[in-house]
Amino acid sequence: MDTKTQPQRNTTFKNEIFEGLSSFPKHLSSKYFYDKKGDKLFQDIMAMPEYYLTGCEFEIISKNTVAIGELFRDKEKGLDLIELGAGDGKKTKVLLKYMTENNFNFTYKPIDISENAVEMLSKNLAHEMPTLNVEAEIGEYFEVLERLKGFNKRKKVIMVLGSNIGNLKHPKAIEFLTKLQDAMLPEDMLFMGFDQKKDPQTILNAYNDETGITEAFNRNILTRINREFRADFEVEKFRHWEAYNPETGTAKSFLVATEAMKVSIEKLQLTVSFDQWESIHTEISQKYDDKIVSWLAEESGLRIETSFTDEKEFYKNYAFTKA
Ligand SMILES: C[S@@+](CC[C@H](N)C(=O)[O-])C[C@H]1O[C@@H](n2cnc3c(N)ncnc32)[C@H](O)[C@@H]1O
């Protein structure tokens, strides 16, 4: 497991908090939701009936395991299966099981920014699939992209599930996809999940449950800043707010200050003032359709080979190659 870049990551986190909370309007990156508590809360979100994304992608992978697995297969030299933002690997395990049981020669390389997620997944796989060759790594998407080029001795399949791409605005998504494309050879494949546009109410409900799990997940970023940077956010004074714009297909999460306050962040030597009802933008969850995905692919030098959807057509997984 790579922990060498940990100090660098802490510095990036520090700089991004400073920049985001000193800006107007204020913002923080959703990639910082995921510490031990955030990972657990995200697992609770995935288990909520409103959060349809996980069930849909699980259905797609379970019903098409053979077709997807065989798209990945390389009979001669085997392959490297690299997953970015792997989380707890719940859906990936369906494919890993098929691949191990059907004599695939492969290494599974999950990469995630959350140290806890990487540790848990590695332990879990060692227990559940002891013969699987796993090379897990802690890393940030854009940090690891350059190194992906080094996987050039045999086929590589890059996988991004959970519509993680939706956390990036379109220009950043194109930058991400272009860098992935640049790291790919003609035989390589990119397999990626994209949550689709649908009834706006269904989308809103997925990020706005009444039990308050999503609110706890959103507020956890402030709890994390309190702990890691000695800040004094009173997290219960921030309300979770979700908005979905059907025109752009963008769902946005905010934390809204319910009263005016000052927050001190000791390790940043920063005091942040909030007016009453001022917001911090914390996450975007972009929704797509075939036209948008085709446009993203074209802009990034990728070709859509095939796609898979669930019964309700809420979600799609696309397989791309280099155009
Ligand atoms: C929405 S969860 C999805 C997890 C998994 N792919 C799934 O479908 O269940 C996002 C995962 O990506 C990781 N992540 C988020 N932003 C990241 C980034 N910039 N670089 C690497 N990992 C990231 C998080 O730690 C988390 O485990």
Side-chain angles (χ1 to χ4, degrees):
M1 207 180 295
D2 173 21
T3 47
K4 293 191 290 288
T5 50
Q6 195 64 33
Q8 172 60 37
R9 260 194 297 277
N10 289 345
T11 309
T12 311
F13 186 15
K14 194 170 166 179
N15 293 343
E16 289 190 15
I17 298 171
F18 194 99
E19 196 276 321
L21 294 178
S22 314
S23 302
F24 182 82
K26 294 180 172 58
H27 58 90
L28 289 168
S29 168
S30 59
K31 66 187 174 204
Y32 298 120
F33 283 148
Y34 302 91
D35 60 357
K36 195 171 181 179
K37 187 169 163 216
D39 291 338
K40 169 73 180 74
L41 285 165
F42 187 69
Q43 285 186 312
D44 294 344
I45 288 176
M46 289 196 290
M48 296 182 332
E50 297 92 335
Y51 197 77
Y52 58 84
L53 289 84
T54 308
C56 292
E57 197 169 42
F58 192 83
E59 178 192 323
I60 293 169
I61 293 177
S62 304
K63 285 192 179 160
N64 301 283
T65 315
V66 178
I68 298 168
E70 294 306 318
L71 269 180
F72 293 2
R73 195 194 279 276
D74 182 284
K75 288 208 170 71
E76 284 174 13
K77 293 190 252 166
L79 68 127
D80 292 304
L81 177 62
I82 303 164
E83 182 169 10
L84 302 179
D88 72 357
K90 180 175 180 238
K91 293 159 286 182
T92 310
K93 281 182 195 164
V94 177
L95 285 169
L96 296 177
K97 186 163 180 288
Y98 173 79
M99 292 167 78
T100 46
E101 285 172 358
N102 288 277
N103 305 317
F104 279 62
N105 166 18
F106 77 110
T107 298
Y108 174 52
K109 190 166 182 56
I111 302 174
D112 201 291
I113 197 170
S114 162
E115 192 174 339
N116 172 67
V118 172
E119 267 172 28
M120 298 293 286
L121 181 59
S122 304
K123 264 194 213 153
N124 201 281
L125 288 174
H127 176 69
E128 285 179 29
M129 298 183 198
T131 59
L132 181 67
N133 191 6
V134 183
E135 284 177 13
E137 202 179 304
I138 303 163
E140 203 275 333
Y141 302 144
F142 284 89
E143 252 174 49
V144 299
L145 286 175
E146 277 302 312
R147 278 183 283 138
L148 289 185
K149 275 192 189 171
F151 289 83
N152 57 5
K153 303 281 179 295
R154 56 182 186 169
K155 179 175 180 173
K156 66 178 163 300
V157 176
I158 304 166
M159 196 158 69
V160 188
L161 302 184
S163 206
N164 290 7
I165 179 112
N167 294 146
L168 306 176
K169 290 181 181 160
H170 288 322
K172 203 73 185 163
I174 291 171
E175 186 188 329
F176 178 57
L177 291 169
T178 304
K179 288 196 168 151
L180 286 176
Q181 180 272 124
D182 192 44
M184 286 163 73
L185 295 172
E187 69 269 25
D188 295 345
M189 175 162 285
L190 172 65
F191 186 76
M192 195 176 265
F194 289 77
D195 192 21
Q196 302 287 299
K197 288 186 177 178
K198 60 186 68 60
D199 182 339
Q201 192 63 55
T202 307
I203 292 173
L204 206 49
N205 294 347
Y207 299 94
N208 214 15
D209 64 293
E210 283 182 358
T211 48
I213 299 173
T214 315
E215 179 165 73
F217 179 64
N218 200 359
R219 283 174 170 170
N220 185 51
I221 201 164
L222 302 184
T223 310
R224 188 173 175 191
I225 295 172
N226 279 349
R227 188 182 61 246
E228 294 187 24
F229 296 94
R230 280 199 224 116
D232 58 4
F233 276 105
E234 292 179 75
V235 296
E236 68 290 346
K237 291 190 176 162
F238 287 83
R239 184 190 291 175
H240 167 69
W241 192 258
E242 191 68 26
Y244 175 64
N245 180 345
E247 186 176 49
T248 59
T250 313
K252 282 186 171 184
S253 303
F254 300 91
L255 287 164
V256 183
T258 55
E259 58 184 72
M261 64 187 114
K262 286 197 191 310
V263 174
S264 141
I265 309 179
E266 209 181 302
K267 280 201 184 170
L268 300 188
Q269 294 175 306
L270 178 71
T271 300
V272 187
S273 297
F274 287 88
D275 292 331
Q276 190 179 25
W277 307 125
E278 190 176 347
S279 61
I280 311 173
H281 175 215
T282 51
E283 186 173 49
I284 86 154
S285 304
Q286 182 65 39
K287 307 302 162 195
Y288 304 88
D289 56 28
D290 280 341
K291 275 193 206 146
I292 303 174
V293 177
S294 297
W295 170 71
L296 289 174
E298 205 172 299
E299 292 291 310
S300 315
L302 290 163
R303 177 174 48 234
I304 300 172
E305 292 297 329
T306 186
S307 66
F308 303 87
T309 190
D310 57 292
E311 203 169 308
K312 293 196 203 123
E313 303 192 350
F314 275 9
Y315 192 96
K316 270 192 181 179
N317 288 85
Y318 297 76
F320 303 90
T321 51
K322 219 173 158 70

